[in-house]
Amino acid sequence: MSINIKRPNGTEDVTPKNVHKWHTIEKIARETAESFGFGEIRIPTFENTDLFLRSVGETTDVVQKEMYTVKAKESEFTLRPEGTAGTIRAMLQNGLLNEALPQRVYYILSCFRHERPQAGRLREFHQFGLEMAGSSSPAADAEVISLAKTMLDRLGLKNIELYINSIGCPACRAKYHEALRNYFNLRKEELCETCQERLIKNPMRILDCKSPVCQEIGKNAPLILDYLCEECSEHFEKLKKYLTDLDIEFKVNPKIVRGLDYYTKTVFEFVTTEIGAQGTVCGGGRYDGLIEQLGGQHTPALGFAMGIERLLIVMEKQDCDYLVPKKCDIYFATMGENALEKAMKLSKALREYGYFAEYDMMGRGLKAQMKYANKINAAFTVVLGDNEIESGIAKLKEMEKGTETDIRLDEKFAPAFEEIYFDKILDIMEEQGGDTLFSFTGEDN
Ligand code: ATP
Ligand code: MG
């Protein structure tokens, strides 16, 4: 019997060749979130299943079809299908909501959903998300949307549209549900099995069904915006005004109801048409009832989550810039044991200065070592042989230009290298017209 050691369907590996793309998103996500006053939270990969049943909602695709649930002895756990439930649970359990409000946390984490794998739809995927708790003001909605927009802009993404909607509060939704039931009851038999159940439990979910038949039937369904109570309506108008004031373009799309049960009032999505069906790169909204539902005091809150793999697909498509992966600053080609020992010592000193130094560990000949240095794109090389060890002086070669400088092989090596290196950086900055966004040394990686 052959052993299957391939990775499971719907999962991906990230190798060092590609990881700088992830670092780019993670760095920009952290910086953007922190500039809006959010701090990072880290939560467990799995939670008690009940947490998701309670919060995500029993009529959602996620709970009905997509959860990875594990029975362990007496307990039952579920791998997190999203970040909000665990984050709110953690905020409650750690007393964050008793501190000064609003409480603002962000996260970068993996999620697990048993879906049919395809481009932009994985079984293990990653989200950058955040939650803000404590404010019921539409200013908070504008703030969170503005953060998402800032992040997408900083990544250099284009042609991403913002859709907003309000799905009201439980009061306006009761009337809306009634109108939806009346509408869908007329074609009840044509709806998919899940939607027939939704018709009883949560008819709004039908509008979010991916089946083309249900979508077609839903085309002329009543719109939630016609059923908003005064408070919800005012909230939505204020949000639109704030977004306009902030020069954030948006479209009202009354069909957006969002996949999870916990939303109230504002819901929004950032969508691109450039990557096919999986074009929603960010989804979010307000969930004023969730914290209470999970055992806390009534606390209005809101948040969003971005799919990192989907962002990467769009970035690739649009040829966006990434952080430059760190390259070898200096490579020592060594001949003989004494030279190797010298290279080790000098590398140690250079690394203390923050440089990426490397020497041969494969026992290659000199020619092969230089070939390797070229292959890894080393910025500088030094050849160390018996002559250099004896004289205490070697030639530091700048690989791109081919220029050589004498350099002493003593404790002054690292500071001397730094000086020469700094001149090179100045040269490069001049050539690039002073563009230092992505640093040459890779310090920012
Ligand atoms: P979709 O309608 O595409 O299934 P969703 O409503 O289920 O999305 P959310 O629960 O709102 O998605 O998750 C937030 C974001 O996480 C999505 O906008 C998307 O970018 C990303 N995402 C969701 N599911 C997946 C998945 N299976 N693979 C990759 N990314 C995903
Ligand atoms: Mg989904």
Side-chain angles (χ1 to χ4, degrees), residues 61-62 66 113 115 121 210 259 310:
D61 277 354
V62 169
E66 299 171 359
R113 296 185 191 179
E115 306 204 60
R121 191 172 293 284
K210 299 232 157 57
R310 291 191 192 173

Side-chain angles (χ1 to χ4, degrees), residues 7-38:
R7 62 167 184 263
N9 260 347
T11 63
E12 281 179 350
D13 301 310
V14 184
T15 63
K17 255 194 190 138
N18 288 319
V19 79
H20 64 288
K21 299 178 182 173
W22 285 78
H23 289 164
T24 306
I25 293 183
E26 288 160 6
K27 181 178 188 314
I28 291 179
R30 288 199 160 87
E31 283 177 1
T32 308
E34 283 164 20
S35 74
F36 279 74
F38 286 72

Side-chain angles (χ1 to χ4, degrees), residues 149-169:
K149 170 75 176 143
T150 306
M151 157 100 186
L152 298 171
D153 286 346
R154 287 188 186 168
L155 288 173
L157 296 170
K158 288 172 210 74
N159 306 329
I160 294 191
E161 295 201 331
L162 166 62
Y163 296 115
I164 62 169
N165 188 24
S166 173
I167 55 171
C169 60

Side-chain angles (χ1 to χ4, degrees), residues 308-371:
I308 297 185
E309 284 85 354
R310 291 191 192 173
L311 290 176
L312 285 168
I313 297 174
V314 192
M315 286 178 77
E316 198 83 32
K317 184 108 203 246
Q318 298 187 352
D319 210 10
C320 292
D321 285 332
Y322 303 105
L323 288 175
V324 179
K326 207 169 170 87
K327 273 195 284 190
C328 179
D329 293 318
I330 180 164
Y331 179 82
F332 293 97
T334 61
M335 287 174 297
E337 186 61 20
N338 289 341
L340 177 64
E341 281 176 18
K342 188 55 127 185
M344 283 181 182
K345 274 209 181 117
L346 294 174
S347 294
K348 183 174 178 222
L350 284 160
R351 287 167 187 158
E352 266 159 32
Y353 272 72
Y355 291 107
F356 170 178
E358 207 181 319
Y359 48 86
D360 180 60
M361 281 177 289
M362 302 299 296
R364 292 186 176 104
L366 184 61
K367 220 170 137 191
Q369 288 187 51
M370 291 313 287
K371 205 168 150 190

Side-chain angles (χ1 to χ4, degrees), residues 10 56 61-62 66 81-82 111-128 208 210 258-260 262-263 268-270 277-284 304-311:
V56 175
D61 277 354
V62 169
E66 299 171 359
E82 48 97 62
C111 300
F112 306 85
R113 296 185 191 179
H114 195 272
E115 306 204 60
R116 195 167 67 78
Q118 50 200 295
R121 191 172 293 284
L122 295 152
R123 290 181 172 170
E124 179 182 14
F125 63 99
H126 296 78
Q127 288 185 342
F128 159 61
D208 211 29
K210 299 232 157 57
R258 306 282 310 121
L260 315 179
Y262 47 61
Y263 289 103
F268 62 92
E269 289 183 353
F270 285 88
Q278 270 61 250
T280 307
V281 292
C282 174
F304 70 68
M306 290 187 187
I308 297 185
E309 284 85 354
R310 291 191 192 173
L311 290 176

Side-chain angles (χ1 to χ4, degrees), residues 38-195:
F38 286 72
E40 183 171 353
I41 191 162
R42 297 189 183 195
I43 56 167
T45 310
F46 59 91
E47 301 273 356
N48 286 309
T49 302
D50 285 345
L51 176 70
F52 301 115
L53 299 185
R54 263 272 172 117
S55 56
V56 175
E58 309 216 12
T59 57
T60 58
D61 277 354
V62 169
V63 164
Q64 290 198 330
K65 312 180 201 158
E66 299 171 359
M67 294 208 304
Y68 281 96
T69 297
V70 207
K71 283 213 163 61
K73 303 252 161 78
E74 252 79 275
S75 314
E76 192 187 280
F77 301 107
T78 293
L79 299 182
R80 59 183 174 220
E82 48 97 62
T84 302
T87 299
I88 297 299
R89 196 264 318 131
M91 289 172 91
L92 284 168
Q93 203 162 351
N94 292 282
L96 298 193
L97 299 177
N98 305 328
E99 292 170 23
L101 300 177
Q103 279 292 309
R104 286 161 289 190
V105 298
Y106 75 89
Y107 49 80
I108 296 172
L109 46 70
S110 51
C111 300
F112 306 85
R113 296 185 191 179
H114 195 272
E115 306 204 60
R116 195 167 67 78
Q118 50 200 295
R121 191 172 293 284
L122 295 152
R123 290 181 172 170
E124 179 182 14
F125 63 99
H126 296 78
Q127 288 185 342
F128 159 61
L130 51 82
E131 320 295 341
M132 184 199 288
S135 172
S136 60
S137 162
D141 305 46
E143 177 87 342
V144 162
I145 291 174
S146 164
L147 197 168
K149 170 75 176 143
T150 306
M151 157 100 186
L152 298 171
D153 286 346
R154 287 188 186 168
L155 288 173
L157 296 170
K158 288 172 210 74
N159 306 329
I160 294 191
E161 295 201 331
L162 166 62
Y163 296 115
I164 62 169
N165 188 24
S166 173
I167 55 171
C169 60
C172 19
R173 223 173 305 159
K175 277 189 238 148
Y176 181 54
H177 278 175
E178 202 184 307
L180 279 180
R181 281 199 189 97
N182 290 340
Y183 174 85
F184 282 116
N185 257 324
L186 298 175
R187 299 178 67 179
K188 188 177 160 191
E189 277 71 42
E190 296 166 64
L191 294 172
C192 75
E193 221 170 275
T194 324
C195 281

